[in-house]
Amino acid sequence: NWGISMEERIEKLNQYNMGWMGYFALIEIPSPLKRLEEWMRRRLRLCRWHQWKRIRTRIRELRALGLKDHEVLEMANTRKGAWRITMTSQLHKALGRAYWHAQGLKSLTQDISSSVKIGESPSADPHARWCVGMIKMQALLCYNESRVSENAVGGAVVLSLG
């Protein structure tokens, strides 16, 4: 656990994930990325659970996330370890994909445009897959607008590395 806020943790994780997405954009078997993404969400659930140290905090937060009262009381008063709690169906429901997406976490297995999944090639032609990969790479590089500026003379995209 880092001693930082969840927003900052997700921001740093997204920066790291963008590099992974750029490197593995043309992966034919996306299952390793799916497993890695599942593990990252589980680790984030663990960090969130550790942030809710007290039982009354857990009750308040789990109720706010829409769990039923009996599920909330069962989860908040559990004596199970935190890592084991992250695999329960109640916590999956409360802190699922939609929750992390709303918090700003980017997916490893989904393209920025959300129209093409990584690993699904639009064509069997290797050149077409390479071109799509280059387009994805450019989209990933241009996605973080705060680090990208446009050259007034030639219209070229320039990354600021500082």
Side-chain angles (χ1 to χ4, degrees), residues 3 12 18 28 48 55 58 70 93 96 109 132 143 148 155:
K12 288 185 178 192
M18 285 298 167
E28 293 293 330
R48 184 62 86 195
I55 291 175
R58 290 177 181 166
H70 73 279
K93 187 177 4 173
T109 56
V132 168
Y143 188 73
V148 178

Side-chain angles (χ1 to χ4, degrees), residues 26-89:
L26 294 177
I27 191 167
E28 293 293 330
I29 305 171
S31 61
L33 293 179
K34 287 180 184 177
R35 284 195 307 270
L36 180 62
E37 186 176 1
E38 289 167 2
W39 183 88
M40 284 189 307
R41 283 194 310 271
R42 185 177 181 190
R43 180 68 183 169
L44 288 172
R45 281 193 298 272
L46 177 76
C47 293
R48 184 62 86 195
W49 189 256
H50 279 297
Q51 285 179 345
W52 303 336
K53 292 180 182 180
R54 298 169 56 175
I55 291 175
R56 78 177 81 162
T57 306
R58 290 177 181 166
I59 290 172
R60 182 184 66 236
E61 297 295 334
L62 290 171
R63 276 186 181 150
L65 290 171
L67 289 181
K68 298 176 185 170
D69 280 341
H70 73 279
E71 292 175 333
V72 168
L73 295 174
E74 180 184 332
M75 293 293 296
N77 291 307
T78 187
R79 297 182 64 115
K80 293 179 183 176
W83 188 246
R84 185 172 175 189
I85 288 296
T86 61
M87 287 302 291
T88 59
S89 62

Side-chain angles (χ1 to χ4, degrees), residues 58-158:
R58 290 177 181 166
I59 290 172
R60 182 184 66 236
E61 297 295 334
L62 290 171
R63 276 186 181 150
L65 290 171
L67 289 181
K68 298 176 185 170
D69 280 341
H70 73 279
E71 292 175 333
V72 168
L73 295 174
E74 180 184 332
M75 293 293 296
N77 291 307
T78 187
R79 297 182 64 115
K80 293 179 183 176
W83 188 246
R84 185 172 175 189
I85 288 296
T86 61
M87 287 302 291
T88 59
S89 62
Q90 295 93 344
L91 209 56
H92 270 273
K93 187 177 4 173
L95 302 175
R97 286 179 189 227
Y99 174 82
W100 294 114
H101 181 70
Q103 296 293 314
L105 183 67
K106 304 260 186 284
S107 175
L108 282 176
T109 56
Q110 195 149 11
D111 191 35
I112 289 176
S113 67
S114 300
S115 61
V116 179
K117 299 272 187 183
I118 292 178
E120 293 179 1
S121 58
S123 170
D125 180 23
H127 179 69
R129 284 196 309 253
W130 182 84
C131 291
V132 168
M134 293 307 292
I135 292 169
K136 286 181 186 178
M137 183 77 78
Q138 289 172 354
L140 290 173
L141 288 174
C142 296
Y143 188 73
N144 189 353
E145 295 176 22
S146 64
R147 298 188 66 204
V148 178
S149 63
E150 190 169 316
N151 186 349
V153 176
V157 174
V158 180

